[in-house]
Amino acid sequence: MTADQVYAGLGLIVVLAVGSQVLASRLRVPALLVLLPAGFLAGALTDDVDPQRLLGSAFSPLVSLAVAVILYDAGLGLDLKRLRGHNRRVVIRLLWLGVLLTVVSAALFAVPVLDMSAQAAVMLAAILVVSGPTVVGPLLDFVRPSERLRRILVWEGSLIDPVGGILGALVFHGVLAGNRPGFGSGLVHFLASAALGVAAGAAGAAVLWLLLGRVRLSEELATSVQLAAVIGVAAGCDALRDDTGLIAAVVMGMAMANLPGLDLPVRRPFFETLVSLIIGLLFVSISATVTPASLRHVVLPSLALVALLVLVTRPLVAHLAALGTDVPGRERWFIGWMAPRGIVAAATASTFSAELADHHIAGAARILPATFVVIVATVTLYGLTAFPVARRLGVLRPARSRPLLVGGAPWVVDAACALRAAGVDVLMWAGADEERARIEAAGLPLAPGELFAAATGAGAELEGITSVLLLTGEDDFNALASVTLRESVEGLVGRLAPQSGDRGAPGRSAGGDVLFGPGLSGAEIAARYRAGARVETRTADGPLPEGVRVLFAVGLEGRLEVATDGGRPEPAPGDTLVVLREA
């Protein structure tokens, strides 16, 4: 290819990747629904968007390293301490039953229907066990199922990606080992590859733990160090033994999420932005390699495989996983109707398919187009039907808001009680033991300590929080937390006005929504409270008396409006107001 063709091809891939994600966000659909057709059409209509011609022999290694970065990021969300409570049994069963039944059913089905060898069929089945938060998360944001369902499905999606990545790599090496003469040498090769990945991942995690926990690094350097460590370890592993870098990346991510002594968060906005860009680039590039000719004899058999996975395997897994638990039948059916395939399936299929075909594994050339069809079909099917199915089953989340109130001063606790009395599902968090005891004594739900400590949005999203109100007496903490949470909470992130009335005070210059309007800083409210002011509820009918300031307005369905310096709530007749009444 000429230099002009390379420029045009690479530029078009980047533009298609980002443009498709922007369009998907505007349409409120999973990005895969736009990325896959865009890449496929670009690859079919022009020769410029051909990553194998653009990058040559570097394409497969780059895909492997990109997947390593994605799997490391997925592993960072795998904090095992937060997998507890009554949902633990269901999530664990979904993982091992899902892997077992998917591999068995898909492999047995693929041999006769897709005309694959047993080795290629097992490889395809191992690839298709993954789902992933990059696909499940957007669907759940759109559907908004009940809190329990969201927790179960988010945890399953977060855990299945690294599990599937490890399984895919191990099966790949097992297939290659089985294709070599001599069972003993094949087994040794298989075990050596797995051991290399685990050992290198553990060593890389130890180095990262020392650097991030013992060396004072800026956020930019901490992100760069993680990226360099993941790519360096994965590249080194792959240079010694093919694709062992995937195992190392997953081990590194899981270890970093669970190692003690790391006070600073290991996920950074730039790192998450990079992962999002990588996902877009991979989907466009990989789907561009799927030619119309390769799909000619694969589409119908692959759709039959989708029917098996969607209508038989997944519902069976969901019902077996919930057996003997308190998960009701309607929620079991919805869990059984939510298993889209995502980026890890596409990337691992692209990496393994060509390699197995080069080793003359019968049917290996069909792994990538079959995976492509399964991804498109499952994402489209679940994307179009998840909401009506959830509504029909009656598992949608109530329309009422769920704010997280941060702080435990007496007036904050009274405000939370008033909101709960008005029909708002309140969640609270406080750092001081005295404040936490005050919250518990009032009978209010108290978020676990790590929820706010992991203020990257993952915990807040897991709890279904719609807004965060920072009501502590520490202005610097409120300002810093508002900056941190603003990137990850979709709803309002509000904070109290700083004690100083100067508009240039550091707390105010941090940005974000300042709560309750002018003159009501945390110190001012506390002083008025000590003087006899109280937080109480009133109906929105008629004018308010003197000495009453509106803090919140609650609609009939529990929807919350908060007074800020940008405007006051506009309640309708019959709404409930939460006000601060002077003594």
Side-chain angles (χ1 to χ4, degrees):
M1 299 183 74
T2 66
D4 291 342
Q5 289 176 314
V6 173
Y7 282 132
L10 293 177
L12 189 54
I13 288 174
V14 174
V15 170
L16 284 174
V18 178
S20 298
Q21 290 175 324
V22 171
L23 178 60
S25 69
R26 301 299 298 172
L27 297 176
R28 297 193 65 191
V29 298
L32 298 188
L33 289 180
V34 184
L35 286 167
L36 291 174
F40 178 73
L41 290 175
L45 296 177
T46 175
D47 293 334
D48 291 339
V49 184
D50 186 345
Q52 292 178 331
R53 292 181 61 199
L54 288 169
L55 302 173
S57 59
F59 176 60
S60 180
L62 287 175
V63 169
S64 181
L65 293 178
V67 174
V69 174
I70 293 172
L71 290 180
Y72 172 77
D73 181 69
L76 291 179
L78 191 58
D79 186 356
L80 298 177
K81 295 188 297 294
R82 296 177 58 196
L83 182 60
R84 58 188 183 187
H86 60 277
N87 296 328
R88 181 198 296 264
R89 187 188 308 174
V90 176
V91 172
I92 293 176
R93 287 180 179 176
L94 283 174
L95 293 174
W96 72 266
L97 282 173
V99 169
L100 176 63
L101 294 181
T102 299
V103 168
V104 171
S105 61
L108 292 176
F109 190 84
V111 170
V113 176
L114 281 164
D115 192 23
M116 288 181 168
S117 65
Q119 294 165 305
V122 172
M123 186 73 257
L124 174 64
I127 289 170
L128 294 180
V129 304
V130 299
S131 175
T134 57
V135 189
V136 174
L139 281 177
L140 295 179
D141 290 339
F142 176 74
V143 177
R144 294 181 62 82
S146 65
E147 190 59 36
R148 166 187 265 179
L149 284 175
R150 180 176 181 83
R151 291 185 184 186
I152 290 174
L153 291 170
V154 165
W155 271 110
E156 182 200 9
S158 298
L159 290 164
I160 196 62
D161 257 5
V163 169
I166 293 173
L167 177 66
L170 293 180
V171 170
F172 172 76
H173 287 292
V175 170
L176 292 185
N179 201 44
R180 290 183 172 84
F183 174 78
S185 62
L187 181 61
V188 170
H189 178 84
F190 172 81
L191 294 177
S193 298
L196 173 63
V198 173
V207 172
L208 274 180
W209 180 72
L210 289 173
L211 287 174
L212 297 179
R214 298 293 183 265
V215 181
R216 298 178 64 88
L217 298 176
S218 65
E219 292 193 1
E220 293 80 7
L221 280 177
T223 301
S224 300
V225 164
Q226 291 179 83
L227 185 62
V230 173
I231 293 179
V233 170
C237 288
D238 287 341
L240 294 173
R241 290 183 181 272
D242 292 340
D243 296 303
T244 51
L246 299 180
I247 303 174
V250 174
V251 171
M252 288 178 67
M254 293 172 62
M256 294 304 295
N258 294 277
L259 280 173
L262 277 180
D263 295 329
L264 62 137
V266 292
R267 303 183 76 177
R268 304 290 180 179
F270 173 76
F271 198 88
E272 295 176 353
T273 301
L274 178 64
V275 169
S276 176
L277 179 60
I278 289 174
I279 289 173
L281 295 175
L282 281 180
F283 267 123
V284 171
S285 301
I286 292 170
S287 57
T289 65
V290 181
T291 63
S294 68
L295 293 174
R296 186 170 300 139
H297 302 295
V298 176
V299 173
L300 291 180
S302 299
L303 290 177
L305 176 59
V306 170
L308 172 71
L309 296 175
V310 170
L311 300 177
V312 179
T313 304
R314 178 63 181 186
L316 179 61
V317 169
H319 282 77
L320 290 176
L323 196 65
T325 69
D326 58 354
V327 178
R330 63 183 184 277
E331 294 186 354
R332 300 183 189 190
W333 281 111
F334 185 78
I335 294 173
W337 196 254
M338 185 58 63
R341 270 60 179 181
I343 181 60
V344 174
T348 51
S350 175
T351 301
F352 299 144
S353 177
E355 184 79 13
L356 293 177
D358 290 342
H359 283 78
H360 308 293
I361 303 297
R366 296 191 171 195
I367 292 176
L368 178 58
T371 303
F372 179 84
V373 173
V374 172
I375 292 172
V376 173
T378 55
V379 171
T380 302
L381 176 64
Y382 293 128
L384 295 176
T385 63
F387 181 79
V389 167
R391 182 173 56 187
R392 182 67 179 269
L393 293 172
V395 296
L396 292 175
R397 187 186 306 169
R400 60 181 179 173
S401 302
R402 194 182 200 208
L404 171 64
L405 274 60
V406 180
W411 73 269
V412 177
V413 174
D414 286 352
C417 291
L419 288 173
R420 184 177 61 174
V424 178
D425 186 11
V426 178
L427 182 66
M428 298 196 69
W429 184 88
D433 292 338
E434 177 185 355
E435 293 181 339
R436 295 176 70 86
R438 185 180 295 120
I439 293 170
E440 292 177 333
L444 295 166
L446 184 62
E450 67 270 16
L451 173 66
F452 198 75
T456 58
E461 185 178 86
L462 185 65
E463 296 291 335
I465 292 167
T466 57
S467 60
V468 178
L469 308 180
L470 299 159
L471 308 175
T472 76
E474 299 292 335
D475 294 334
D476 290 341
F477 173 84
N478 293 341
L480 178 61
S482 68
V483 173
T484 303
L485 290 168
R486 207 168 36 200
E487 298 295 329
S488 53
V489 177
E490 291 187 3
L492 170 72
V493 177
R495 58 192 174 86
L496 291 172
Q499 296 184 32
S500 172
D502 183 8
R503 298 293 293 185
R508 187 176 293 277
S509 64
D513 294 283
V514 178
L515 300 173
F516 308 145
L520 280 186
S521 65
E524 177 63 24
I525 296 177
R528 296 188 187 189
Y529 220 70
R530 289 192 296 269
R534 289 296 177 264
V535 176
E536 59 185 30
T537 59
R538 291 176 177 266
T539 62
D541 303 325
L544 292 173
E546 291 291 333
V548 171
R549 292 283 296 272
V550 176
L551 306 180
F552 308 99
V554 181
L556 296 178
E557 294 183 349
R559 292 189 178 275
L560 179 66
E561 291 185 65
V562 186
T564 67
D565 61 354
R568 299 181 59 185
E570 298 181 359
D575 289 354
T576 301
L577 301 178
V578 177
V579 302
L580 178 66
R581 176 184 55 80
E582 299 292 343

